[in-house]
Amino acid sequence: GDGKKEMPVVGLLILWTTDRAEKTLDGQGLILDGQGKLSTRRGKSSLHVEALGANAGMERAQKVAFALGEFYRMPTGLKYQQAEIECGRMPVPIDLIVDAKCLYDLLASRAVPKTSDEGSLLYVKWLKERYESGAIDGLVWCSTQDQLSDPLTKTSVDSWLLVRVMMEKKVELLWSALRNGKLVNPEKGLPPPKSAKDEAAY
């Protein structure tokens, strides 16, 4: 999302990917759903905006997961689905990918989340509950350069990674990522810190 606006633009993508080893996030990927639209909730801070976007993505992913599950078994009704969601039993494993390190750290920590912005606390706690229950199979942090949904909310970012997924059905991150606290694709290295990029541009 764009934290500079009171009513932020929230972008999300739902990708259907093949099962892959814990060492990589790269592989075949098909975009099933996505949206970039103005949020109906005000963003009070950058963390609040990121939590709003992650919540919207997780809610949409759960719906898509159960729709896919109905292809392989008889429809079971909303009450059954709600009970499964509450227990963290998803018909399809879900990875939640965020590029906000502060949000990732709050969700990955074993401590009770505490934020300076009380407006974001409810959304952070719900996501953490989803992660701890197992509804989120993989909690992933990736660099902003690898965030495929950024072109849905910003006009100034390069969209070639997203176009590549659409054209070639292939996901290939530029940098290493974190998944459930473990480094993924370590050979790619971490992206340079923001200060280093600013200095290089200068």
Side-chain angles (χ1 to χ4, degrees):
D2 186 350
K4 296 180 180 179
K5 298 180 180 180
E6 287 190 1
M7 302 297 284
V9 179
V10 174
L12 61 92
L13 285 174
I14 308 294
L15 270 70
W16 174 260
T17 64
T18 54
D19 288 336
R20 54 198 61 173
E22 294 286 324
K23 296 181 180 179
T24 184
L25 294 175
D26 297 342
Q28 294 299 112
L30 178 67
I31 296 176
L32 294 182
D33 196 7
Q35 74 175 24
K37 69 174 185 177
L38 204 63
S39 173
T40 57
R41 302 182 179 102
R42 292 187 182 277
K44 298 177 181 178
S45 67
S46 295
L47 175 61
H48 191 193
V49 172
E50 295 291 347
L52 284 174
N55 269 260
M58 186 59 194
E59 288 173 348
R60 184 70 69 92
Q62 289 180 158
K63 292 177 183 177
V64 171
F66 276 98
L68 289 170
E70 290 183 357
F71 285 109
Y72 301 101
R73 64 187 183 195
M74 292 295 291
T76 49
L78 291 177
K79 287 185 179 180
Y80 173 83
Q81 291 182 9
Q82 187 62 39
E84 292 289 276
I85 287 173
E86 290 300 321
C87 295
R89 293 191 292 265
M90 306 302 295
V92 178
I94 296 174
D95 278 9
L96 176 67
I97 303 177
V98 299
D99 64 351
K101 190 63 164 55
C102 59
L103 178 59
Y104 174 86
D105 289 341
L106 281 170
L107 299 179
S109 172
R110 295 184 178 180
V112 176
K114 295 180 181 179
T115 65
S116 56
D117 168 26
E118 293 183 358
S120 63
L121 190 57
L122 178 64
Y123 304 106
V124 172
K125 282 189 172 182
W126 183 80
L127 287 169
K128 190 172 180 65
E129 181 184 283
R130 297 287 81 211
Y131 182 44
E132 291 177 347
S133 72
I136 297 175
D137 184 61
L139 177 63
V140 179
W141 169 84
C142 72
S143 71
T144 301
Q145 298 97 310
D146 285 324
Q147 182 56 276
L148 295 177
S149 63
D150 264 8
L152 302 178
T153 63
K154 303 176 180 74
T155 58
S156 59
V157 299
D158 196 338
S159 60
W160 75 271
L161 283 176
L162 177 57
V163 171
R164 183 179 186 183
V165 176
M166 296 170 67
M167 299 290 290
E168 302 178 13
K169 300 179 179 61
K170 184 177 182 180
V171 178
E172 188 171 344
L173 302 186
L174 299 173
W175 303 99
S176 301
L178 289 171
R179 185 180 188 277
N180 296 339
K182 297 180 180 179
L183 197 61
V184 179
N185 292 119
E187 71 283 355
K188 295 184 179 184
L190 293 173
K194 188 175 186 301
S195 57
K197 289 189 289 183
D198 291 343
E199 183 179 342
Y202 178 78

